[in-house]
């Protein structure tokens, strides 16, 4: 008998199947990326985003209610969102789940409403929506769903199949909307990722065999310590601490991240699962009292269970020794001579008016930012876009009234902006830096005596004067920006596209600089990566200085992977 409604159990299966299908296709989706650069691409970012939600979902068990399911999908994808495509996917999921969270089952009219809410939410999250992208595919699916619903569709299997088929058609048309896709001979990678999620979900609805396993099982808050693992390893944290918080105050995404960050500061093996008005907690720590004391801020506690894992560990070793040697083995005991180490006291930094968080891409770049006074470095950028959760963790560790975030990558700006609305106790300002040199310029132009608003205005103005070029290699053959590129070619990429390409690294780099330059520029900064030796970098610097004798030309070690040179002109 055909299903005409979807309950929470079925929706859970469909979501996990969609996530697994996307994960299995992520490398292929990466290959669709127009720019043939070896970055953390669309497929990777979307997969990390949806898997963050999937991992929260599996903690709910086999029979979750709709509200709990929607919270796991929305909250998990929000925290795990990486890159523009991942943030847009998280917003689609957020809008969809908002529309259905109060329902017991979903029928065709409810699905049509949810598709429309998903698209509305995602479009609102993008400052300048561009057609021919994942947004276009999502809107096409929503429009088809509404059309079928209004025409009286009553067979859910036929309805879903038709919506997905139309999504595939809209995806096939994306090259007609974005010339760069047509020139490269590909469809939009984000739109392809969305179609794979929908297709996987549809397979589960049809009852096809799907592998729902997301990751290795995590110890639940109801289980004891893993004795087999403990018998083979030293125990850093001695007490397995478990309890349930009966919430009496709001435990939103920010509160959950704060609480998890605190648990991480005092222990490991952390499980923290919010479910309606209760929170299940599991942590290994040397001071259970600290975990309990912090938890009491959110409500009353129940089901408290504390096990001394070191004693259990000794018993395990003792028994294993008896079995292996046929006798009694000496086991070290926890005595005054071998005390349980105390948790290290966390001394917060003195609070200040303004702090900085910067995304960076290499050891040398990190040191430059630190030398300029940046408080917290998030490593990632080009090769792995940080998530919204990474942003929130960094913000939490900066003890300042106002925190400026420098994304330093166009694909990180949306995740940074998404974090702004989740922080209530600090003023967060995102300076939309698209490159590391822009971030460096922003910090250099910060004036402590100015207000946050005045500094924002100054930094926003100054980063407009920075031109950036980056030299990397092509991971596949393609046709883009009227250039024929062969796999393995060096490419000089400017602010608005590929400037040069070829087989000689120095020629490509010098050609890129030539394309960047104009008469009013006065300073050229060269940051060489970890695949370039200093003597070669100095030789390049001299060549540029000889040609542009009216400019100061600086050379610094950036240490960035993937990109041989990052060069700015201002």
């Amino acid at each position: 008998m055909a299903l005409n409604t979807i309950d929470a159990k079925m929706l859970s299966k469909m979501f996990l199947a969609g996530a697994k299908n996307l994960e299995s296709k992520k490398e292929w989706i990466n290959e669709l990326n127009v720019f043939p650069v070896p970055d953390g691409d669309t497929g990777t970012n979307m997969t990390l985003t949806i898997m963050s939600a999937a991992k929260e979902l599996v903690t709910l068990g086999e029979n979750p209610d709709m509200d709990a399911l929607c919270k796991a999908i929305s909250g998990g994808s929000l925290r795990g969102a990486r890159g523009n495509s991942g943030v847009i996917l998280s917003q689609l999921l957020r809008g969809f789940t908002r529309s259905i969270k109060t329902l017991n089952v979903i029928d065709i009219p409810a699905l049509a409403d949810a598709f429309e809410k998903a698209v509305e939410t995602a479009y609102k999250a993008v400052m300048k929506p561009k057609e021919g992208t994942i947004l276009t595919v999502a809107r096409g699916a929503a429009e088809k769903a509404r059309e079928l619903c209004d025409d009286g569709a009553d067979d859910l299997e036929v309805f879903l199949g038709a919506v997905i088929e139309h999504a595939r058609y809209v995806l096939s048309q994306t090259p007609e909307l974005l010339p760069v896709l047509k020139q490269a001979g590909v469809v939009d990678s984000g739109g392809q990722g969305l179609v794979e999620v929908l297709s996987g979900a549809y397979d589960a609805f049809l009852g096809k065999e799907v592998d729902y396993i997301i990751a290795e099982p995590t110890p639940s808050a109801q289980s004891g310590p893993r004795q087999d693992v403990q018998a083979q390893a030293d125990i850093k944290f001695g007490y397995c601490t478990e309890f349930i918080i009966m919430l009496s105050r709001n435990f939103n995404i920010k509160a959950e991240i704060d609480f998890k960050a605190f648990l991480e500061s005092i222990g490991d093996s952390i499980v923290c699962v919010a479910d309606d008005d209760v929170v299940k907690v599991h942590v290994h720590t040397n001071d259970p009292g600290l975990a309990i004391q912090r938890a009491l801020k959110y409500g009353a506690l129940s089901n408290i269970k504390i096990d001394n894992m070191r004693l259990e560990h000794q018993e395990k070793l003792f028994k294993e020794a008896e079995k292996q040697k046929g006798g009694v083995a000496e086991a070290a005991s926890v005595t005054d001579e071998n005390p349980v180490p105390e948790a290290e006291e966390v001394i917060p930094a003195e609070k200040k008016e303004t702090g900085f968080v910067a995304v960076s891409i290499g050891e040398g770049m990190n040191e430059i930012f630190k030398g300029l006074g940046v408080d917290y470095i998030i490593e990632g950028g080009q090769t792995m876009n940080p998530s919204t959760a990474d942003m929130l963790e960094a913000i939490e560790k900066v003890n300042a009234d106002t925190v400026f975030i420098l994304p330093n990558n166009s694909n990180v700006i949306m995740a940074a902006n998404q974090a702004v609305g989740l922080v209530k106790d600090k003023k967060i300002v995102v300076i939309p830096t698209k490159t590391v040199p822009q971030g460096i310029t922003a910090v250099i132009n910060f004036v402590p005596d100015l207000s946050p608003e005045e500094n924002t205005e100054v930094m926003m103005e100054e980063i407009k004067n920075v031109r950036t070029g980056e030299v990397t290699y092509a991971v596949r053959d393609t046709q883009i920006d009227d250039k024929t590129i062969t796999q393995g070619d060096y490419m000089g990429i400017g602010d608005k596209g590929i400037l040069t390409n070829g087989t000689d690294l120095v020629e490509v780099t010098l050609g890129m600089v030539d394309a960047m330059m104009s008469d009013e520029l006065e300073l050229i900064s060269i940051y060489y990566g970890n695949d370039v030796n200093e003597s070669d970098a100095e030789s390049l610097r001299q060549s540029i200085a000889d040609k542009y004798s009216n400019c100061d030309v600086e050379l610094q070690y950036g240490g960035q992977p993937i990109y041989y040179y990052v060069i700015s002109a201002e």
Side-chain angles (χ1 to χ4, degrees):
M1 181 176 176
L3 289 175
N4 285 318
T5 60
I6 297 171
D7 60 14
K9 185 174 182 179
M10 173 56 73
L11 183 61
S12 176
K13 287 184 176 181
M14 292 173 70
F15 181 79
L16 292 176
K20 291 291 288 186
N21 194 48
L22 175 62
E23 182 184 42
S24 70
K25 307 285 180 58
K26 68 178 180 182
E27 294 303 333
W28 171 57
I29 294 169
N30 283 343
E31 288 295 316
L32 295 176
N33 214 44
V34 172
F35 268 49
V37 295
D39 285 355
D41 281 47
T42 301
T44 300
N45 286 332
M46 293 183 74
T47 297
L48 290 170
T49 299
I50 202 169
M51 281 300 169
S52 176
K55 288 173 183 176
E56 291 207 16
L57 190 153
V58 296
T59 66
L60 300 179
E62 294 185 1
N63 293 292
D65 62 52
M66 192 70 77
D67 185 51
L69 179 67
C70 289
K71 285 180 180 177
I73 293 172
S74 179
S77 62
L78 183 71
R79 288 188 289 274
R82 296 173 186 268
N84 293 345
S85 55
V87 171
I88 292 172
L89 177 60
S90 76
Q91 292 301 310
L92 288 169
L93 294 172
R94 181 169 174 245
F96 186 91
T97 55
R98 274 185 173 180
S99 181
I100 64 169
K101 65 181 181 180
T102 60
L103 305 177
N104 291 321
V105 294
I106 312 167
D107 56 13
I108 288 175
L111 277 171
D113 290 343
F115 277 126
E116 288 181 338
K117 186 64 176 177
V119 172
E120 175 190 338
T121 304
Y123 267 87
K124 284 182 179 179
V126 181
M127 290 184 64
K128 295 180 180 179
K130 183 181 293 186
E131 297 305 330
T133 66
I134 180 176
L135 290 171
T136 306
V137 176
R139 195 183 73 235
E143 289 172 348
K144 187 65 175 181
R146 175 54 61 194
E147 176 192 330
L148 293 170
C149 178
D150 291 347
D151 287 346
D154 58 2
D155 186 318
L156 193 52
E157 180 178 329
V158 173
F159 170 83
L160 291 173
V163 168
I164 294 171
E165 187 61 33
H166 187 69
R168 290 188 185 280
Y169 168 74
V170 175
L171 175 66
S172 72
Q173 297 304 299
T174 54
E176 303 304 319
L177 298 172
L178 275 180
V180 68
L181 295 176
K182 192 168 188 176
Q183 187 178 25
V186 296
V187 296
D188 178 67
S189 54
Q192 186 71 63
L194 178 60
V195 166
E196 296 309 322
V197 172
L198 295 174
S199 299
Y202 188 49
D203 284 344
F205 177 81
L206 295 176
K208 294 183 180 179
E209 188 173 341
V210 176
D211 174 15
Y212 295 105
I213 298 175
I214 296 298
E216 289 296 320
T218 303
S220 72
Q222 305 300 324
S223 65
R226 290 280 304 278
Q227 300 293 343
D228 56 333
V229 175
Q230 292 170 13
Q232 301 172 37
D234 294 332
I235 296 176
K236 182 178 180 181
F237 297 104
Y239 295 94
C240 175
T241 306
E242 304 174 21
F243 51 81
I244 293 176
I245 309 173
M246 313 298 291
L247 293 173
S248 60
R249 58 177 288 190
N250 188 20
F251 194 74
N252 56 22
I253 293 173
K254 174 64 166 53
E256 182 178 345
I257 291 173
D258 288 346
F259 185 54
K260 286 181 177 177
F262 174 77
L263 295 178
E264 288 175 352
S265 74
I266 64 168
D268 62 10
S269 298
I270 295 161
V271 178
C272 178
V273 180
D275 183 9
D276 292 329
D277 55 356
V278 301
V279 180
K280 300 176 183 179
V281 180
H282 171 279
V283 59
H284 293 174
T285 178
N286 287 324
D287 196 334
L290 291 177
I292 290 171
Q293 185 177 16
R294 178 60 68 98
L296 286 169
K297 290 175 56 179
Y298 302 104
L301 306 186
S302 67
N303 294 39
I304 299 174
K305 180 173 175 284
I306 301 173
D307 293 317
N308 187 327
M309 296 189 295
R310 287 189 175 87
L311 292 180
E312 293 171 340
H313 179 54
Q314 301 305 328
E315 291 176 9
K316 181 72 175 180
L317 292 178
F318 189 85
K319 290 176 181 177
E320 289 296 327
E322 279 189 323
K323 288 178 184 177
Q324 293 173 13
K325 299 181 180 179
V328 178
E330 289 188 354
S333 60
V334 181
T335 65
D336 290 339
E337 293 181 1
N338 295 289
V340 176
E342 296 181 359
E344 189 175 320
E345 183 181 2
V346 178
I347 303 175
E350 184 177 348
K351 193 166 189 177
K352 54 185 182 177
E353 292 184 5
T354 307
F356 277 90
V357 170
V359 178
S360 185
I361 56 174
E363 180 185 353
M365 299 290 198
N366 296 351
E367 291 304 313
I368 291 169
F369 277 122
K370 290 175 184 176
L372 292 171
V374 170
D375 301 271
Y376 193 91
I377 306 293
I378 302 176
E379 295 199 49
Q382 296 297 105
T383 52
M384 179 58 68
N385 300 147
S387 67
T388 299
D390 293 329
M391 298 289 177
L392 292 171
E393 181 183 354
I395 291 167
E396 176 66 24
K397 292 182 178 179
V398 178
N399 193 12
D401 294 321
T402 299
V403 179
F404 288 100
I405 300 180
L406 306 173
N408 299 332
N409 186 299
S410 59
N411 209 31
V412 179
I413 294 172
M414 285 187 70
N417 284 331
Q418 191 159 261
V420 174
L422 300 175
V423 179
K424 304 302 180 186
D425 59 341
K426 300 174 184 177
K427 178 181 176 63
I428 309 300
V429 181
V430 177
I431 305 297
T433 50
K434 296 181 179 180
T435 65
V436 167
Q438 281 191 342
I440 292 171
T441 293
V443 183
I444 288 174
N445 283 278
F446 173 78
V447 180
D449 292 338
L450 297 181
S451 68
E453 293 75 19
E454 290 171 323
N455 268 307
T456 299
E457 185 176 343
V458 170
M459 289 188 283
M460 293 283 282
E461 195 61 35
E462 290 297 330
I463 64 175
K464 294 178 183 177
N465 300 323
V466 181
R467 301 181 187 181
T468 305
E470 301 167 314
V471 182
T472 185
Y473 58 92
V475 295
R476 60 182 175 275
D477 297 347
T478 191
Q479 182 82 22
I480 187 172
D481 294 341
D482 296 322
K483 292 180 174 59
T484 300
I485 296 171
T486 303
Q487 180 179 350
D489 274 0
Y490 297 107
M491 300 183 298
I493 303 172
D495 294 317
K496 295 183 179 180
I498 297 175
L499 302 178
T500 57
N501 68 288
T503 57
D504 185 281
L505 176 60
V506 174
E507 287 183 7
V508 167
T509 305
L510 292 174
M512 180 188 74
V513 173
D514 289 344
M516 291 167 54
M517 294 302 292
S518 59
D519 292 340
E520 74 276 10
L521 298 173
E522 301 173 344
L523 173 65
I524 300 173
S525 299
I526 305 169
Y527 305 91
Y528 64 96
N530 60 9
D531 290 324
V532 178
N533 63 58
E534 186 176 2
S535 62
D536 288 343
E538 171 56 33
S539 177
L540 177 73
R541 187 206 68 79
Q542 190 60 56
S543 296
I544 294 174
D546 290 343
K547 184 166 186 178
Y548 297 99
S549 56
N550 60 319
C551 292
D552 292 327
V553 183
E554 298 178 347
L555 177 67
Q556 299 193 61
Y557 173 64
Q560 67 272 8
I562 307 299
Y563 288 76
Y564 301 101
Y565 293 103
V566 174
I567 300 178
S568 65
E570 52 190 301

